[in-house]
Amino acid sequence: MHTFFLAPIGFDSGLTSISLGLVRALAQAGLRVGFVKPISQDGHNGEEEHSTHFARAICHTKSPTPLSLEHVERLLSQGNVDQLMEEIVSLYQEAARDVDVVVVEGLVPDQQQVFSTFLNTKIARNLQAQVLLIAGADKMAPHDIAEKLDMTIQAFGGTTGNMAGYILNRLPPDTDAARLAEDIASAGRLIKGDRLPLIGSIRHDPELLAPRTLDVANYLKARLMHAGQLTRRRVRSIVVTARSAPNIVHLLKPGALIITAGDREDIVLATAIATMNGVPLAGLLLTCDSDLDPRILPLCQPAFNSGLPVLTSEYNTFETASILTNMSRQVPVDDLERMERVIDYIAEQLDTAPLKKFVGQPKEIRLPPPAFRFQLMEKARRANRRIVLPEGNEPRTIRAAIICHEKGIARCVLLGRREEIRQIADSLDVALPEGLEILDPNEIRHRYVAPMVELRKSKGLLPPVAEQQLEDNVVLGTMMLALDEVDGLVSGAVHTTANTIRPALQLIKTAPEARLVSSVFFMLMPEQVLVYGDCAVNPDPGAEELADIAIQSADSASAFGIPPRVAMISYSTGSSGSGSDVEKVREATRIAREKRPDLIIDGPMQYDAASVVSVGRQKAPDSPVAGRATVFIFPDLNTGNTTYKAVQRSANVVSVGPMLQGLRKPVNDLSRGALVDDIVYTIALTALQAEQRLSH
């Protein structure tokens, strides 16, 4: 097992974010990662230490509770350094159980805690760790960074032999990272000649600093007049209104917090109108502890009802704006959404290849959620598939298409009027990339009438009816797929599952080897990704159909890097129960084994016997699946859909899907409550399905 110790070279390096980003990046590489912050430097007044809290809540590590700073200072004042090191080693060993690598977060230098460098070097030496140095690059010139790196290396023993590399954080956007690294290397005495590799250059992204409107309210101790979407909206800009309404209209953009005195009715009304026009402002903040004039309140009420938070501050406008400039950039402990984005952003920009050479191969091949998501995106990029999105004027779909374009995940085609899509993008304050393809259905629909009539001639389809059906963009997109103009289709953000699947069944049809179309969800559990099927399509499959669903789901798991061990779920395990429902599952298991003897399949089996090792040993001691199942096949839609939603909501588990199986070409459905990230993942899944079909 290997250990990396992260040590900052300055006061404001973003150590916590980098440490957890490294945990995520190593997990994406398929490693079991432990995390420990041996000594707490925050978490006062009973609040949990931030790094440990986020490591447990987001990275799902079993991180031990760190030692308090008061306890450490007491031991140091008594000269009990050895006892302190013993306690730290004990914490480390707790974090190191059943993992391949441990990330240890050191102390941040503090003018009041002069012992931080001493303890960092002592801890790294006692844990026999390789050291990763973290530098904030936003406030230092290259020669200053080189000098601080040299000084820190000197403190850790004066040699780069125990150094794993260094990471530059918060690079200004226009900085040439390669040139900066060269300048640092040439200016440094101990890091010349690539002796200290650069592991990552993290560019500054203001979007990641955006606090929730709730955080602003808490910081100002503001009075809440109307909550709206207080916990969901983020402050991306602050508009202090010294001028009249016409002069600030261009500043009323998504994420803008409007600060104004309560008697500025023109500003209040302009804010309400912008909100009612669909601009998701961060909020309206009234100063001088003022209230809205009751005469204009009815005009503003629709804006409040649509989610606009309204607050009031006891300070005047100038004081309020000044106080907000000093608001901490630290992520609050309850803002898991923002910290998740920070961690993902940093992980994307870290090169773990040099670090993996030290760690070697993991003890067990596994696919934790970060590795699944990372591999999914990487494989989709390599596939470079063209995916049509019929709901081209839907805001979440537009955002997802932009992300996929910018990250190279897929070549998306939005169906819709260009001007309408551009207006929606402007209202979202996002820019449509030049290369993002938009097709106006009114301009291309006529091309597909004759091919559709030909495809459906056995059903007697006539041109006028075909033209009418092609008014539906899902049908139009499906025709594009049928004619191989695109590689896959994703729909369902505003359409039902039936709206998405019906045209596919009529025009794409099932694959030659498939008896039916089914679906799977990829359930991103804390330790590994599981596959659930069928939770979206078939209400009550018979034994033959259930066997096909099991085979399709096992093949899907295998295609996405999950070793398939298939459990056929029932209310009974083995031969302990009887009844028509159990017999159906027993027969389906027999058929699936007969059709695919290469697969590991067992059933009927209760969910706990399939998923919990101790229960599996007790109820099915001879089963190769019990306690180790990765693919769960439910006997009917009622059971499957209920189970996936219960697990998703109760355990706060991310589910990716449903992914449709059994069609000749990939068509995938979205939940109507899908988030932007859900749509991005589904597009990536679809691109990868298209690649796999072509490779076969």
Side-chain angles (χ1 to χ4, degrees), residues 570-574 577-587 604:
S570 177
Y571 60 78
S572 170
T573 297
S578 59
S580 59
D581 291 338
V582 179
E583 290 304 322
K584 179 180 81 169
V585 175
R586 186 172 289 122
E587 177 64 8

Side-chain angles (χ1 to χ4, degrees), residues 14-35:
L15 180 62
T16 292
S17 300
I18 298 294
S19 298
L20 297 179
L22 180 62
V23 171
R24 173 63 53 86
L26 292 170
Q28 287 175 342
L31 298 168
R32 291 181 182 269
V33 189
F35 174 83

